[in-house]
């Protein structure tokens, strides 16, 4: 396995240019840059984290445009995801704005959403999630997700965790942006440390969705 050395400036420049010229002709002319400066470092980064967190899925660069109004063919970022449950796990991404990391659940519906809300409402498990999210925010993470505008059906609007119950997805993330360390092996240490900080959230969500 190739040793992770960071993402070069060429990786960010590649996505800067792709946002301007998202065409097959641009991609064909620069696919070697993608392979060497984007994909290979991402594979090396996630490979270095695999023993502790598990194998990652490095996403394909092509967009699914079958039902999209936007027909541009290529994603303007490269993401990788380590799953521990349905739509739940750790994430890392490189794009024109730099690098960001995160974790959480990015999609829940039907029975899984019902299970998530039940755990939020429960007086044993709900306060634990509140503490986890509070700790993340105090540690500099952004806590966000898709929210209902109203209280979900079947729950009292006076519930002490009503704001949690409105959430359909829960994500904790941190942006590294253009910090100099993203171009060095030190990025691996930052991702590992932040994924460890996000582990309580991932484990809580995995248990709730199980």
């Amino acid at each position: 396995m190739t040793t992770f050395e960071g993402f070069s400036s060429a990786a960010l420049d590649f996505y800067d240019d792709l946002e301007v010229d998202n065409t097959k002709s641009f991609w064909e002319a620069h696919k070697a840059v993608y392979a060497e400066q984007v994909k290979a470092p991402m594979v090396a980064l996630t490979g270095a984290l695999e023993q502790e967190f598990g194998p990652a899925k490095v996403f394909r660069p092509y967009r699914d445009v079958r039902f999209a109004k936007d027909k541009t063919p290529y994603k303007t970022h490269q993401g990788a995801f380590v799953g521990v449950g349905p739509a739940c796990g750790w994430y890392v991404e490189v794009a024109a704005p730099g690098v960001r990391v995160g974790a959480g659940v990015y999609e829940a519906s039907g029975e899984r959403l019902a299970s998530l809300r039940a755990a939020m409402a429960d007086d044993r498990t709900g306060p634990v999630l509140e503490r986890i999210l509070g700790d993340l925010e105090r540690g500099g993470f952004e806590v966000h997700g898709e929210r209902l505008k109203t209280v979900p059906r079947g729950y009292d609007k006076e519930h002490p965790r009503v704001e949690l119950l409105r959430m359909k997805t829960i994500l904790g993330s941190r942006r590294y942006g253009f910090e100099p360390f993203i171009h060095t092996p030190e990025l691996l240490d930052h991702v590992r440390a932040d994924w460890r900080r996000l582990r309580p959230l991932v484990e809580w969500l995995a248990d709730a969705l199980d």
Side-chain angles (χ1 to χ4, degrees):
M1 182 182 68
T2 303
T3 302
F4 179 69
E5 299 293 342
F7 288 104
S8 69
S9 296
L12 278 59
D13 291 342
F14 170 81
Y15 282 115
D16 259 332
D17 294 338
L18 183 63
E19 288 184 355
V20 175
D21 187 9
N22 197 318
T23 62
K24 184 176 181 180
S25 59
F26 173 86
W27 187 269
E28 290 298 320
H30 298 85
K31 62 183 179 181
V33 177
Y34 167 77
E36 296 167 11
Q37 305 299 327
V38 177
K39 184 176 180 181
M42 183 63 80
V43 170
L45 173 63
T46 53
L49 295 163
E50 181 172 341
Q51 184 173 358
E52 180 172 351
F53 297 95
K57 176 181 180 180
V58 176
F59 294 111
R60 288 162 54 86
Y62 313 106
R63 296 183 62 247
D64 184 353
V65 299
R66 290 173 298 174
F67 308 107
K69 291 182 179 179
D70 178 3
K71 298 298 183 182
T72 50
Y74 305 103
K75 298 174 183 175
T76 54
H77 62 271
Q78 176 63 68
F81 180 72
V82 177
V84 299
C88 177
W90 289 276
Y91 182 73
V92 60
E93 174 188 289
V94 62
V99 176
R100 69 183 180 102
V101 295
V105 58
Y106 63 84
E107 193 281 328
S109 57
E111 292 183 2
R112 291 194 297 114
L113 182 55
S115 297
L116 185 61
R117 285 177 176 155
M120 291 171 170
D122 190 284
D123 286 336
R124 297 165 302 165
T125 52
V128 175
L129 178 59
E130 284 187 314
R131 287 195 296 271
I132 290 170
L133 297 179
D135 288 345
L136 289 174
E137 289 182 323
R138 286 187 291 274
F141 288 88
E142 179 188 2
V143 174
H144 54 102
E146 183 182 358
R147 291 176 180 267
L148 292 175
K149 293 182 179 180
T150 59
V151 180
R153 185 176 303 171
Y155 289 97
D156 189 338
K157 65 180 181 179
E158 301 300 326
H159 193 284
R161 288 177 295 283
V162 68
E163 291 305 312
L164 272 184
L165 289 167
R166 290 173 55 217
M167 299 186 76
K168 297 177 66 177
T169 61
I170 303 179
L171 303 165
S173 65
R174 189 196 299 277
R175 295 183 182 274
Y176 302 148
F178 305 117
E179 290 288 344
F181 65 76
I182 72 169
H183 304 303
T184 75
E186 186 185 342
L187 175 59
L188 171 61
D189 297 327
H190 285 270
V191 177
R192 181 186 288 115
D194 280 338
W195 279 11
R196 285 173 177 171
R197 294 185 184 104
L198 288 159
R199 188 187 295 278
L201 174 61
V202 172
E203 292 180 343
W204 189 97
L205 292 168
D207 288 343
L209 294 167
D210 187 2

